[in-house]
């Protein structure tokens, strides 16, 4: 039995400023199936380190040059085609540059209060990822598909 499997590698980064605000990207529902507010991030390119990929993606999507991103967790699941999908979750507190939107979506600074009060329309599954970013006792979110094709989520 082969231990090799097809894998999609991605990242997402929670970027927080000195005032406690953080960056959210608002993805266009006309362009993306997965629309709504998310933390910025994207795919790891072939031959690229995970660290380099999150720095590159954040710059491309926000105009911010993050420094010392810290890996805080992972989200993973299998697609309907049985491809393992890994999302490496980072936090960054140090950055330079001006926040600038891209073709990926509008980016802006938001507060935890806006998030908690439901003022932000989150993309599907974003709410389930928040504990990995905000609570220290979780570092993994795993989705397992049941026999009916629905996902069950587990935190570790």
């Amino acid at each position: 039995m082969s231990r090799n499997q097809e894998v999609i590698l991605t990242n997402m980064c929670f970027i927080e400023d000195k005032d406690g605000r953080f960056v959210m990207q608002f993805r266009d529902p006309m362009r993306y199936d997965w629309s709504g507010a998310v933390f910025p991030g994207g795919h790891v390119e072939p031959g690229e380190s995970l660290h380099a990929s999150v720095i590159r993606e954040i710059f491309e999507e926000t105009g911010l040059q993050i420094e010392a991103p810290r890996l805080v967790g992972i989200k993973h699941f299998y697609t309907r085609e049985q491809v393992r999908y890994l999302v490496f979750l980072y936090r960054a507190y140090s950055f330079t540059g001006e926040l600038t939107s891209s073709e990926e979506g509008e980016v802006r600074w938001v507060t935890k209060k806006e998030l908690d009060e439901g003022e932000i329309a989150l993309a599907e599954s974003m709410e389930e990822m928040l504990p990995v970013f905000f609570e220290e006792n979780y570092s993994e979110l795993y989705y397992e598909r049941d026999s009916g094709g629905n996902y069950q989520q587990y935190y570790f």
Side-chain angles (χ1 to χ4, degrees):
M1 178 170 142
S2 173
R3 292 187 178 197
N4 295 332
Q5 60 182 288
E6 188 175 353
V7 177
I8 298 171
L9 303 174
T10 65
N11 58 60
M12 183 175 280
C13 190
F14 177 93
I15 307 159
E16 188 172 7
D17 72 5
K18 290 179 173 79
D19 296 323
R21 300 176 309 163
F22 48 89
V23 175
M24 292 211 82
Q25 181 181 71
F26 296 82
R27 296 167 63 97
D28 182 354
M30 300 304 288
R31 181 173 178 188
Y32 295 102
D33 292 336
W34 195 56
S35 62
V38 299
F39 298 133
H43 287 84
V44 179
E45 299 295 334
E48 185 177 43
S49 74
L50 300 173
H51 184 265
S53 74
V54 72
I55 290 171
R56 176 187 52 77
E57 283 288 348
I58 296 311
F59 182 72
E60 289 174 359
E61 295 186 5
T62 70
L64 300 177
Q65 185 69 46
I66 59 173
E67 300 167 8
R70 183 173 55 93
L71 183 65
V72 296
I74 188 169
K75 170 187 170 180
H76 59 120
F77 58 93
Y78 283 90
T79 67
R80 292 193 184 280
E81 297 78 23
Q82 293 304 303
V83 175
R84 182 182 286 269
Y85 199 108
L86 301 171
V87 185
F88 295 92
L89 307 175
Y90 288 86
R91 284 187 80 127
Y93 300 99
S94 181
F95 55 87
T96 57
E98 293 294 321
L99 190 62
T100 306
S101 296
S102 72
E103 65 182 27
E104 297 291 332
E106 174 197 355
V107 288
R108 65 181 168 98
W109 295 104
V110 301
T111 65
K112 182 81 163 61
K113 182 179 177 187
E114 288 175 289
L115 200 62
D116 291 343
E117 292 180 355
E119 296 176 26
I120 309 291
L122 296 174
E124 180 183 356
S125 82
M126 255 318 281
E127 188 169 350
E128 289 85 4
M129 278 190 278
L130 294 178
V132 179
F133 288 105
F134 289 108
E135 298 177 27
E136 299 223 1
N137 53 327
Y138 297 121
S139 63
E140 181 179 348
L141 171 57
Y142 176 64
Y143 290 94
E144 185 173 70
R145 197 179 300 278
D146 64 21
S147 59
N150 301 306
Y151 281 117
Q152 301 295 317
Q153 64 195 34
Y154 300 93
Y155 293 96
F156 303 101

